[in-house]
Amino acid sequence: MNKETLIKQGGIWVFILVELAFFSIAGEFLSVTDVAFMDYGNMLLLLKQSAPIGIIALGMTIVMINGNIDLSVGATFALAAIVLLDSMTWPFMQALGDWAIPLAWLFALLTGTVLGAINGLIVWKTGVDAFIVTLGAMLGYRGLVFMYNGEQPTSHLNWTLVDFAEAQFLGLHTATWFLLGAALVLWLVMTRTVHGRNAYAIGNNREAAVNAGIRVGPHFLWNFMLIGFLAALSAVVFYSESGSVNPNDGMLYELWAITAVVLGGTKLTGGYGSIISTLGGVIAIQLLRKGLGHIGADTETVNLVIGLILIAVLFLDRQLNRRGKEELKT
Amino acid sequence: MTDQTPALRLEGIVKTFPGVRALDDVSFAVMPGEVHALMGENGAGKSTLMKVLGGIHQPDEGRIFIDEEATVMTSPIQAKARGVVFIHQELSLADELSVAENIFLGELPRKTLGRVDWAALYARTDDILGKLNVGFNARTRVGELSIANQQMVEIARALTVDPRAVIFDEPTASLTDAEKVVLFDVIADLKARGVGIVYISHRMEEIFKITDRISVLRDGQYRGTLNTSETDEDEVTQLMIGRSLDLSRNHAHAELGEVAIEVRGLSCGKVYRDISFSVRRGEVVGFYGLVGAGRTEIAETIFGLRDPDAGAIYLDGKEVRIASPIDAIRHGISLVPEDRKGQGLVLGMNCRDNMTLPQVDDMTSSVFVSERAELSIFDHYKDKLDIRTPGWRQTVGNLSGGNQQKIVIGKWLSMNPKLLIVDEPTRGIDVGSKAEIHNLIRDLATQGYAVIVISSEMPEVLHLADRVVAMHQGRIVREFTAEEVTEDSLIQAISGIGGNGAAQADVTAQDAGCSRPH
Ligand SMILES: Nc1ncnc2c1ncn2[C@@H]1O[C@H](COP(=O)(O)OP(=O)(O)OP(=O)(O)O)[C@@H](O)[C@H]1O
Ligand SMILES: [Mg+2]
């Protein structure tokens, strides 16, 4: 790894260290509880809480590297959650006992993948910008969510499922394992496979990619299916434990995911970014939320601060990168 | 000239990039009213030196003087304010804006309340364009112009101020002969006004035609300055690459084989009509004509980037339909496109990945890409084409212009094509590597490949081709064999029989009748 990429990809981790140090010290004076910020249990919980947005953000990374964006993930997340919980109440599913669980998961994941495929196909076949297509899909899929059960929450609590979701393996929660597992797989996909390589190329210079004989459309489709799948996976992980979904759940998730991705250094214009850095971005945001809560800030303040920090970090990143490669004729 | 003070002077400039010492203690001066050539191999540091002067890069060490007054150049805007104007090697225009807006970008004439004074803007622009004698006007959208005309817009930018020094970084790389004449007039005019001119080019004929002195860089070091009238090509080459070149190398013409590709009656709207020709194995066919004659578009059609309205393409005697580059690649066709930045390279990717882009698909071991196979391809062509880069990890966007071009050529050669089409293959390439690439193309022919060379450089076509196809305004006007072709007959043919050479045909993708679907 050369110096340039080190500066770019190391930045987010330095930022995390700064956050940790800041909240540990500030916590000594301002904390509302006696527990130290860097408490082991606290950190494990933090990872677990990062998982729902985190898994979606991983998908957002590959879509954005590819030069697209997906605004419909929040709605996909909610719809997959409804399918997950509702399907377990269907008579034939209940007859299966605990075997209904894997089936319900399958249904939910399938829902997400299909919704993603719809986005991907439209972007591919019509050539309409992904921003517009998925903006429409965001409204449309959310409409489906409301059609399903009106304003009512959809609930079903399965204790086997709850046990599974709350289990800890080697200290880490189930949700954390899913986050890390998904990150590992996607990292391999993006760095080691042809699909990953081509996704970068398309995002960076679509025309050159076409000239090199790369089919742009199928790569788009794959990435939208992947992010749909991941949005559903995120729902599976989260609602296995909570057992109840409101029709408004998952709102603004797309924006939180994009925030994490951008914080991790992925370019909005495509062609550049890394899965690992997105993981850093996700953790950094969760640290901020938790840390600010730890020193007694309320939710509104937290959002304001995150917004400001996002802009500040991106500005800093720009300055650093300009130093690295001044030739940008801005 | 010793009694005068230099218009600009650089002293002891050092500039390093990660892994590269691009400039190593370079000093350089330009007198007022002098055209000073800056020469050197690809990656020697010419553009970097000029970017330091133009305020784009900050030097690690060294000083800049304008009229013997020490200056720190912090930005291109400041450099322009100090009278240093820079015409870049790589185009940097806003496609969606008009010609006028591009020319006056950042300094649009204003009325009260910050409103743009459009009337003044267009009037001033048309004034400048009038001097350049171009075939478009102030309101034309830049994205609609051909590369050559975009280059003219870049040049027009330099004429908006009263400069002390103008830097031309390979301005003629994509100009036709007619446009070059206009450019040289502009340079002569600037010179007469006492402006100092730095002229970077790899083309010896031009250098000897218009410059007064020649300074040479090699591997980031200053190698000396020669008076143009007292030197010759050989001496300059010696200084540049440390050896002389035998440019007259007579190529053994290959044994001609079967017809590899035959095109019959191909037409594409107003872009080109009724094109028929064939290329045999072991043969190099040159396409020569003015920019806009339709040569690039024919290449794009054969490569599946355009759908023709009529006509047929036969490969090995069988009619084929080539609907996309994927089809073309499958049929063993490679195209080195003319616009390396837009169509050839993924600038943000590293060198190795760029080179193997069309074939990573075939290099997978199990699910993963085989990095070892990729590296061996890269290393092979890095040596073969003498690509200067600190390593395969370097982002292609950081390479010098000529080395970027070599990456594109390496990419398509590594596909082992049956038919190789090269569109302006040596644009921006130094004399040494140019000879190298020419040899390579001839070698490919000897090995039985069919090659089409599209070039606006007559010496290149004459040197390489076994047969020359002359085009004029979308039609083939004549075919010459290597024995019968001469410079004069070729010029006559491409300028339309009996016509004057000033045909400013600027066929663009927009007004073209047949689309570029991809
Ligand atoms: N922004 C950058 N980052 C890293 N290396 C760079 C950068 N810009 C230039 N270089 C390196 O500096 C060296 C000099 O490059 P430069 O562009 O000045 O060459 P040049 O003489 O203009 O070549 P050409 O004739 O090909 O245009 C090259 O090795 C190039 O790779
Ligand atoms: Mg250069």
Side-chain angles (χ1 to χ4, degrees), chain A residues 4 324-327, chain B residues 17-18 20 22 40-49 51 57 89 169-170 200 202 388-390 394 397-403 428 430:
Chain A
E4 202 177 296
K325 38 187 289 193
E326 309 161 42
E327 99 277 20
Chain B
F17 295 110
V20 196
E41 290 177 280
N42 295 128
K46 305 176 298 291
S47 297
T48 306
L49 184 65
K51 284 179 184 170
H57 289 316
Q89 177 173 17
D169 196 351
E170 298 191 37
I200 302 178
H202 292 293
R388 306 280 171 88
T389 163
Q394 180 70 293
N398 288 344
L399 295 187
S400 77
N403 283 304
D430 68 53

Side-chain angles (χ1 to χ4, degrees), chain B residues 18-278:
Chain B
V20 196
R21 199 169 172 86
L23 295 173
D24 189 1
D25 192 19
V26 175
S27 301
F28 173 76
V30 181
M31 294 294 166
E34 175 192 37
V35 181
H36 197 135
L38 189 56
M39 297 198 72
E41 290 177 280
N42 295 128
K46 305 176 298 291
S47 297
T48 306
L49 184 65
M50 291 304 112
K51 284 179 184 170
V52 165
L53 179 59
I56 296 163
H57 289 316
Q58 296 308 310
D60 302 343
E61 284 168 43
R63 295 192 296 167
I64 301 169
F65 300 87
I66 307 285
D67 290 327
E68 286 305 285
E69 193 184 317
T71 312
V72 179
M73 297 290 190
T74 54
S75 70
I77 296 165
Q78 195 219 4
K80 198 165 180 180
R82 297 295 322 260
V84 176
V85 181
F86 197 156
I87 292 153
H88 287 277
Q89 177 173 17
E90 310 289 345
L91 297 166
S92 55
L93 298 169
D95 278 356
E96 294 299 329
L97 299 184
S98 69
V99 168
E101 287 166 289
N102 267 288
I103 291 176
F104 284 94
L105 204 62
E107 45 196 12
L108 293 173
R110 294 187 193 180
K111 295 194 284 193
T112 50
L113 296 176
R115 289 171 304 149
V116 175
D117 188 348
W118 293 105
L121 174 67
Y122 289 132
R124 284 176 64 186
T125 306
D126 280 327
D127 209 37
I128 295 169
L129 294 181
K131 270 186 235 161
L132 291 176
N133 189 19
V134 290
F136 54 90
N137 66 41
R139 290 161 203 261
T140 316
R141 201 175 64 91
V142 161
E144 288 171 23
L145 298 175
S146 63
I147 296 190
N149 278 334
Q150 292 189 4
Q151 184 74 46
M152 295 308 271
V153 174
E154 286 270 2
I155 291 166
R157 269 184 178 174
L159 306 177
T160 62
V161 290
D162 203 18
R164 282 305 293 138
V166 181
I167 302 158
F168 290 93
D169 196 351
E170 298 191 37
T172 53
S174 48
L175 297 188
T176 62
D177 290 331
E179 287 161 328
K180 269 183 228 166
V181 172
V182 175
L183 174 71
F184 294 159
D185 284 347
V186 172
I187 291 177
D189 184 44
L190 288 170
K191 182 178 156 136
R193 278 158 46 191
V195 177
I197 290 157
V198 181
Y199 191 85
I200 302 178
S201 174
H202 292 293
R203 298 188 176 165
M204 290 287 187
E205 330 90 73
E206 287 169 12
I207 299 282
F208 280 90
K209 195 161 149 192
I210 67 164
T211 68
D212 301 308
R213 287 196 295 165
I214 302 171
S215 286
V216 175
L217 291 181
R218 182 159 155 216
D219 293 334
Q221 288 173 339
Y222 171 74
R223 279 303 157 109
T225 301
L226 305 165
N227 283 329
T228 310
S229 53
E230 293 158 17
T231 183
D232 57 14
E233 290 194 16
D234 203 42
E235 193 181 2
V236 177
T237 310
Q238 275 279 0
L239 214 51
M240 269 170 65
I241 63 177
R243 63 192 155 94
S244 34
L245 277 176
D246 181 14
L247 285 171
S248 62
R249 183 187 128 132
N250 216 349
H251 295 294
H253 282 232
E255 198 69 12
L256 294 192
E258 306 275 281
V259 172
I261 180 170
E262 181 174 3
V263 169
R264 271 190 226 149
L266 212 60
S267 290
C268 179
K270 278 186 275 177
V271 184
Y272 59 78
R273 322 213 107 255
D274 203 19
I275 301 295
S276 303
F277 67 90
S278 64

